[in-house]
């Protein structure tokens, strides 16, 4: 007999891991102890080495579904400790915290069954959970993950729950957030004025009444408060839109079950897998053709964001009564999602007709995740609830320094690294909003504490005026650590490389709306070559003057005017023609932009698809929605060499569009031809880059690649001519994913050329 010390690192806390080990050890008839440490769990067992090794080999194979085992360190042949039983020891606070915390996970099948079983002591109890499901990230205040360090600390367990907690045969053995109606949190219903009208089970029936009457209900979920209403009468959603001042941005819809989803949308098998999986993001699904008209007020494009219920409260709210409800984050004009009861009642006064709240505190706000499904997995627009704070493995090296990357501004994000992991944050929002900026700073501190990260360098965008850059400068001064400003499109480029764990040099097509270039102009239609250390700009698009600067981002007609004028079209009859002419002639507040997003905006306005945008990227979204998908035609264009840059000259294309419009060619065909032209142009730019450098791997990044039309066609065209193509898989292609790229570039600069990802090329 001897003793073995087994350290298991990864997401192994709060996922039923210790009970699993306990049962496994008992099968082998061994004695010892297990404890949570800040790096995972630590197991000590007495036994024969061969038997101990067999047990260790079984751990990864039989671990609970939510566990993510990163590695297992073992030491055999230690002196026998003489254990007489198997014990779960108290948590040990280690100096180095390396714990991976589980995201919030949707209710499991076992809990759902109990929820629906009359006579079960948790029948209809909205806070039912077990070791396999329930809230985690949103209730954890600190590590190690124990009840006292969560929002559940104020709910001492009743004798029944306590017995379950200590019973190894029970599914709730050591389930930290476990509770029942006797000892746990309770729901409460308030009217529009904030008067409490019902508590407990009755509050849910009162909430249902609100929905039945076609009114708007505020519901406190896992990561924040949502606003809900029925979708079967457009007036309900339109009222919500008006009260929330959410002009035209699509609403997400929560459906009772997958068969309800099928009533409204096409669902491919891989989409069903992600919709019904335990993370429950909002998935963008194609609306059924015959449902288009009735769903138009919810989403003005071809897709509808759909999610299934994930918390027990959601299931109870739906019951059998509703098929589909609008479910939108309760936040006002770019503020963070509301999460406190008093605040919800105050801020949603005049918006919500009733409130379904509860007394379990949301420690950390976390919005719903949003994705589409590409190649069988999530392609994120927003990586948040259900995924965060799960880290992204960026390197096999563990001895890397830690860095903080501060992201951009409008779709703000940060990312901290530790060892071979990056921890991207949840959805934050636009930092120009004061509360959002505060939330951003608070979450940086929270992540640093949770994962015990002390950054040794800070990365930020090259744009000095971004609030994230300002924050980064202050922190760098305060902590006396180096600051690395990173060019925006280089960061996108590196983000996609790190996302796919690429090393060496690649070609990148980085298309987005706006990012400051190294020459002081606005970039965004870039073809780059290089790697983490440097990139070279080899291709771009002919810059467009943005008449009135930022105003042109909303007033798409201004971009259209500039495109038309530069292409030699007659613009004299256009609105404000004289003013715009004068501004262009004088170069007055007409910054040049090579942003692909702006080109989309301008073309959308020329085609009369959208002239005034009410949300960011609307022109591009609607242009994509208008496109005739079977159209394969192209428009004329030129690629011109200017200095070392291969520029997409769009003037002939714009000219041709105007001609086609005169011929009454359908707008759908023209929208498609425009995007086909971009694809053709991109392939040519990549071919030129390959000729020059010999590189044949292409990464695609930037917000423009939220466009499914492009994403479903461009890679195919590139592969046809021999390129390998990589798109984002683990973080968003838009600015939310930017911080990952900044972080890896900072690591690279700190390491002065050390191979960061540890992958061969
Ligand atoms: Zn469960
Ligand atoms: Zn209880």
């Amino acid at each position: 007999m001897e003793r073995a010390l087994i350290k298991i690192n990864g997401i192994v806390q709060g996922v039923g891991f210790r009970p699993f080990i306990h049962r496994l050890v008992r099968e082998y008839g061994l004695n010892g102890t297990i404890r949570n440490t800040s790096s995972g769990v630590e197991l000590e067992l007495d036994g024969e080495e061969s038997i101990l090794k067999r047990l260790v080999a079984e751990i990864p194979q039989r671990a609970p579904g939510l566990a993510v085992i990163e590695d297992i360190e073992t030491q055999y042949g230690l002196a026998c400790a003489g254990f007489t039983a198997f014990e779960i020891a108290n948590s040990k606070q280690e100096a180095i915290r390396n714990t991976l915390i589980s995201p919030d996970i949707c209710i499991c099948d076992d809990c759902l069954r109990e929820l629906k079983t009359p006579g079960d002591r948790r029948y209809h109890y909205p806070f039912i959970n077990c070791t396999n499901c329930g809230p985690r990230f949103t209730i954890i205040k600190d590590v190690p993950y124990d009840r006292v360090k969560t929002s559940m600390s104020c709910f001492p367990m009743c004798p029944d729950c306590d017995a379950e907690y200590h019973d190894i045969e029970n599914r709730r053995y050591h389930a930290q957030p476990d509770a029942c109606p006797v000892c746990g949190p309770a729901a409460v219903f308030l009217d529009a004025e904030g008067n409490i009208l019902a508590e407990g089970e009755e509050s849910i029936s009162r909430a249902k009444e609100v929905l039945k009457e076609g009114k708007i209900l505020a519901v406190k979920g896992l990561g924040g408060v949502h606003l809900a209403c029925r979708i079967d009468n457009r007036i309900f959603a339109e009222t919500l839109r008006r009260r929330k001042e959410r002009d035209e941005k699509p609403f997400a819809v929560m459906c009772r079950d997958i068969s309800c989803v099928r009533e409204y949308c096409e669902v491919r098998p891989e989409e069903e897998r992600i919709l019904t999986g335990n993370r429950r993001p909002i998935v963008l699904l194609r609306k059924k053709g015959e449902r288009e008209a009735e769903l138009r007020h919810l989403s003005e494009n071809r897709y509808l964001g759909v999610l299934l219920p994930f918390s027990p409260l959601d299931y109870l709210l739906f019951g059998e009564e509703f098929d589909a409800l609008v479910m939108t984050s309760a936040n006002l004009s770019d503020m963070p999602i509301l999460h406190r009861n008093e605040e919800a009642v105050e801020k949603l006064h005049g918006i919500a007709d009733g409130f379904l709240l509860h007394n379990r505190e949301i420690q950390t706000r976390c919005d719903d995740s949003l994705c589409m499904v590409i190649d069988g997995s999530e392609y994120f627009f927003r990586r948040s609830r259900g995924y965060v704070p799960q880290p992204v493995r960026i390197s096999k090296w563990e001895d890397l320094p830690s860095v903080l990357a501060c992201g951009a501004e409008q779709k703000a994000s940060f990312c901290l690294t530790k060892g071979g992991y990056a921890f991207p944050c949840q959805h934050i929002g636009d930092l120009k909003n004061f509360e959002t900026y505060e939330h951003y700073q608070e979450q940086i501190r929270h992540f640093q504490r949770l994962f015990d990260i002390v950054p040794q360098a800070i990365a930020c965008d090259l744009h000095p005026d971004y609030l994230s850059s300002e924050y980064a400068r202050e922190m760098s001064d305060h902590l006396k650590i180096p600051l690395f400003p990173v060019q925006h499109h280089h960061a996108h480029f590196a983000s996609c490389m790190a996302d796919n764990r690429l090393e060496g040099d690649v070609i990148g097509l980085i298309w987005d709306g706006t990012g400051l270039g190294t020459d002081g102009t606005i970039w965004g239609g870039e073809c780059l070559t290089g790697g983490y250390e440097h990139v070279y700009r080899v291709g771009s698009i002919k810059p467009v003057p943005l008449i009135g600067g930022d105003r042109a981002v909303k007033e798409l007609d201004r971009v259209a005017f500039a495109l038309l004028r530069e292409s030699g079209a007659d613009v004299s009859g256009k609105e404000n023609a004289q003013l715009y002419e004068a501004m262009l002639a004088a170069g007055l507040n007409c910054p040049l932009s090579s942003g692909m997003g702006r080109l989309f905006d301008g073309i959308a306005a020329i085609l009369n698809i959208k002239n005034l945008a009410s949300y960011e990227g609307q022109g591009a979204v609607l242009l994509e929605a208008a496109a005739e998908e079977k159209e394969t035609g192209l428009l004329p264009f030129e690629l011109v060499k200017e200095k070392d840059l291969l520029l997409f000259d769009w003037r002939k294309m714009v000219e041709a569009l105007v001609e086609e419009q005169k011929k009454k060619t359908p707008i759908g065909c023209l929208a498609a031809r425009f995007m086909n032209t971009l694809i053709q142009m991109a392939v040519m730019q990549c071919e030129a880059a390959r000729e020059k450098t010999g590189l044949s791997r292409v990464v695609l990044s930037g917000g423009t690649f939220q466009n499914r039309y492009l994403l479903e066609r461009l890679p195919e065209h590139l592969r046809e001519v021999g390129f390998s193509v990589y798109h984002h898989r683990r973080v968003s292609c838009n600015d939310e994913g930017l911080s990952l790229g900044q972080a890896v570039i900072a690591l690279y600069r700190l390491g002065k050329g050390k191979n960061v990802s540890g992958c061969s090329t």
Side-chain angles (χ1 to χ4, degrees), residues 363-375:
Q363 167 64 29
T364 301
R365 283 173 276 205
C366 200
D367 284 76
D368 295 330
S369 292
L370 173 64
C371 68
M372 57 186 184
V373 179
I374 299 283
D375 293 347

Side-chain angles (χ1 to χ4, degrees), residues 689-710:
R690 177 167 62 186
E691 207 155 288
K692 201 162 148 186
T693 58
L695 303 172
S696 62
R697 294 178 300 171
V698 181
V699 295
L700 306 178
S701 190
T704 301
F705 288 107
Q706 290 177 171
N707 180 313
R708 197 186 300 235
Y709 187 98
L710 290 180

Side-chain angles (χ1 to χ4, degrees), residues 66 102-112 128-136 222 274-281 308-312 314-315 385-386:
L66 293 182
S102 169
D104 289 13
I105 294 298
C106 90
I107 183 171
C108 71
D109 292 343
D110 291 330
C111 286
L112 194 55
I128 186 171
N129 67 80
C130 72
T131 43
N132 301 319
C133 72
R136 296 290 185 275
L222 292 183
I274 287 166
L275 275 169
T276 58
N278 60 15
R279 296 169 187 271
R280 302 279 156 107
L308 289 175
F310 55 91
S311 74
D314 295 335
Y315 278 94
R385 180 190 46 76

